[in-house]
Amino acid sequence: MIAMSGSFDVEVDDGLAKKKYHLNRSNYGLYIPRMIWREIDNFSSGSVCMVLASNLFDERDYYRDYQEFVRATKAL
């Protein structure tokens, strides 16, 4: 995930701990591995967020409910 323009915050959560990153430079990126819940907010005016992925999007690969995500992380 890269802030191509402007800035925004990304909070990542592995089901146990949370950490917040402020992205504001196009020459830095944030790698988010599998089974990490993420929330993006605090966009500055004109922000552009670029996300690169290794696979094509498949809706079935994503958790939409946080509690379901937490249960799944405990099962690993």
Side-chain angles (χ1 to χ4, degrees):
M1 185 175 294
I2 302 167
M4 297 304 295
S5 177
S7 65
F8 51 86
D9 294 333
V10 181
E11 184 175 71
V12 293
D13 178 346
D14 65 3
L16 298 171
K18 296 179 182 183
K19 184 164 184 176
K20 187 174 275 195
Y21 296 92
H22 182 71
L23 298 182
N24 62 357
R25 294 186 178 159
S26 62
N27 59 332
Y28 288 95
L30 178 63
Y31 171 71
I32 303 174
R34 65 184 293 276
M35 292 303 290
I36 299 292
W37 185 269
R38 56 101 187 110
E39 293 189 18
I40 309 168
D41 64 1
N42 196 27
F43 285 88
S44 68
S45 179
S47 292
V48 176
C49 173
M50 180 171 70
V51 178
L52 305 171
S54 57
N55 294 315
L56 293 174
F57 176 79
D58 185 346
E59 178 68 30
R60 296 170 294 178
D61 289 340
Y62 292 84
Y63 288 96
R64 301 293 179 195
D65 179 83
Y66 181 74
Q67 294 307 319
E68 184 180 338
F69 165 76
V70 171
R71 285 191 295 276
T73 61
K74 291 182 182 186
L76 295 177

